[in-house]
Amino acid sequence: MRSIWNGAISFGLVSIPIKLVNATENHSISFRQIHTADGGRIRYRKVCELDGEEVSAAEIGKGYEEADGSVIPITDEDLSALPLPTAKTIEIVTFVPASEIDPLQMDAAYYLAANGIPAAKPYTLLREALKRSDRVAIAKFALRGRERLGMLRVVDDVIAMHGLLWPDEIRAPEGVAPETEVTVREAELDLADALMATLGDVEVASLHDDYRTAVEAMLAAKSESGEGQAAPEAPAPSGSAQVIDLMAALEKSVRAAKASRGEAAADEEARGEERGEAAEVAEVTPIRPKAARRAAPKTTAAPKAATGKKSTAATKKAAAQTAAKTTAKTTAKSAAKTAKTATAATAATAATKKTTAAKTTAASAKKTAASKKPTPRKRTSA
């Protein structure tokens, strides 16, 4: 890369020879001004307003116009004689955390390359010191006829410098914020957070200039088909710029962002699984009074279609479980009654046998006692 400035970094008493290289490049497509009638180029000529003659670049100098219209000529010698220590030096003045730099001050970016083998050692020292301190260096330097402010930081293994605007060049944002009071609800913030989380995974390196691509395609088409062809029509806008319902717009944006990343189908499937699990968990048999338990179980009515509460399979399963429980209870009661009846009959039979045995024993004892009595003797008359 071609250097645009040669000088040195002043780091205390350490001087590091460097070359300044542009870190960015402009890919914008530039157009020429033409005469629409015949396509001829429109050129701007530098003409002196006093004599009307065209002036070459070598004859053009600098001048400062005062309020009354008079011009004070300024030469390059006048500018070079100014006491400007940063004319060929990037003078580091302080080191600060990167968070203290306002992004509004950011300007053009440059790479600082070590100029020669002797500069490699101090260059590496400054780079490693910046890495370990986790700070950036604030410096002054002169470029293109004016003194500027810069910020030095490490990018990979290179020291980069961002041109900074002077603090007094940043305008205060007066009258820019909305003047009316607006209340933002928590639900709106939650949707905004969801949209930010959905869009936050886009890799910045994958972004590109769609407008430049469209212009290049248009130029290629017109070049192949010849001049005078109509430009391709611009796509219709996706929607109105006016937001009527903020909540609806946020919800639609979240759905569109998820659909573009293929997450809508996965989310819908997950929601379906959650609904199925909830239906299975929600199978609860209500507790009924004793009178209702003795009655015959009623047939469960058919579920209404598309209620969204329980599926048909879940309802049938619940009815089957209820019927099974009722049948089990009835069977248990019948068995208990049968067992009770059998127990009573057994007890009665045992009592009857006991009574009969007692009667039989008493009769035998009476008979035996009767047989043991002495027979009375008959008296004989003398």
Side-chain angles (χ1 to χ4, degrees), residues 43-120:
R43 298 181 181 273
Y44 291 95
R45 303 178 185 274
K46 297 181 179 179
V47 178
C48 177
E49 64 179 11
L50 295 180
D51 55 18
E53 295 181 2
E54 186 175 349
V55 181
S56 63
E59 299 176 290
I60 298 176
K62 299 182 181 67
Y64 176 77
E65 184 178 0
E66 294 188 313
D68 58 359
S70 60
V71 177
I72 301 175
I74 303 296
T75 63
D76 293 338
E77 290 75 13
D78 295 333
L79 295 176
S80 60
L82 294 175
L84 187 63
T86 57
K88 283 294 180 179
T89 304
I90 299 176
E91 181 183 357
I92 296 177
V93 295
T94 186
F95 294 88
V96 298
S99 58
E100 293 188 7
I101 304 301
D102 190 344
L104 287 174
Q105 290 184 256
M106 295 288 188
D107 202 356
Y110 308 93
Y111 289 137
L112 304 182
N115 192 2
I117 296 177

Side-chain angles (χ1 to χ4, degrees), residues 165 237 375:
L165 300 176
T375 306

Side-chain angles (χ1 to χ4, degrees), residues 90 136 271 363:
I90 299 176
V136 297
R271 284 195 295 269

Side-chain angles (χ1 to χ4, degrees), residues 53-234:
E53 295 181 2
E54 186 175 349
V55 181
S56 63
E59 299 176 290
I60 298 176
K62 299 182 181 67
Y64 176 77
E65 184 178 0
E66 294 188 313
D68 58 359
S70 60
V71 177
I72 301 175
I74 303 296
T75 63
D76 293 338
E77 290 75 13
D78 295 333
L79 295 176
S80 60
L82 294 175
L84 187 63
T86 57
K88 283 294 180 179
T89 304
I90 299 176
E91 181 183 357
I92 296 177
V93 295
T94 186
F95 294 88
V96 298
S99 58
E100 293 188 7
I101 304 301
D102 190 344
L104 287 174
Q105 290 184 256
M106 295 288 188
D107 202 356
Y110 308 93
Y111 289 137
L112 304 182
N115 192 2
I117 296 177
K121 178 73 173 182
Y123 183 94
T124 305
L125 173 63
L126 177 59
R127 182 190 67 194
E128 296 304 315
L130 287 173
K131 281 184 179 180
R132 190 166 70 172
S133 67
D134 198 21
R135 294 190 173 195
V136 297
I138 304 300
K140 290 182 178 182
F141 68 101
L143 182 65
R144 297 189 179 96
R146 60 179 289 236
E147 189 175 50
R148 303 167 186 260
L149 196 62
M151 179 189 73
L152 278 64
R153 69 184 184 97
V154 179
V155 177
D156 295 334
D157 291 332
V158 178
I159 299 176
M161 182 175 69
H162 296 268
L164 299 178
L165 300 176
W166 296 99
D168 59 357
E169 293 179 324
I170 305 298
R171 301 173 62 184
E174 296 178 357
V176 179
E179 297 180 357
T180 58
E181 293 185 2
V182 179
T183 302
V184 179
R185 295 179 296 172
E186 289 294 331
E188 295 170 341
L189 285 175
D190 292 341
L191 282 174
D193 290 341
L195 181 58
M196 290 169 62
T198 306
L199 300 178
D201 295 335
V202 177
E203 295 183 1
V204 178
S206 65
L207 302 178
H208 60 279
D209 189 350
D210 294 331
Y211 178 78
R212 178 168 60 90
T213 303
V215 172
E216 290 175 348
M218 177 196 65
L219 293 176
K222 291 177 73 67
S223 178
E224 292 178 0
S225 60
E227 296 182 358
Q229 300 294 326
E233 295 182 359

Side-chain angles (χ1 to χ4, degrees), residues 30-50:
S30 58
F31 298 101
R32 302 291 187 182
Q33 290 186 332
I34 62 172
H35 187 195
T36 56
D38 53 16
R41 285 278 305 277
I42 303 297
R43 298 181 181 273
Y44 291 95
R45 303 178 185 274
K46 297 181 179 179
V47 178
C48 177
E49 64 179 11
L50 295 180

Side-chain angles (χ1 to χ4, degrees), residues 281-327:
V281 173
E283 294 173 1
V284 179
T285 303
I287 299 176
R288 296 177 296 174
K290 293 183 178 179
R293 293 182 200 171
R294 296 173 183 172
K298 296 182 180 180
T299 305
T300 305
K304 295 182 180 180
T307 56
K309 294 182 179 179
K310 290 186 179 180
S311 61
T312 306
T315 305
K316 290 181 178 180
K317 187 175 180 180
Q321 289 182 350
T322 304
K325 289 180 180 180
T326 305
T327 303

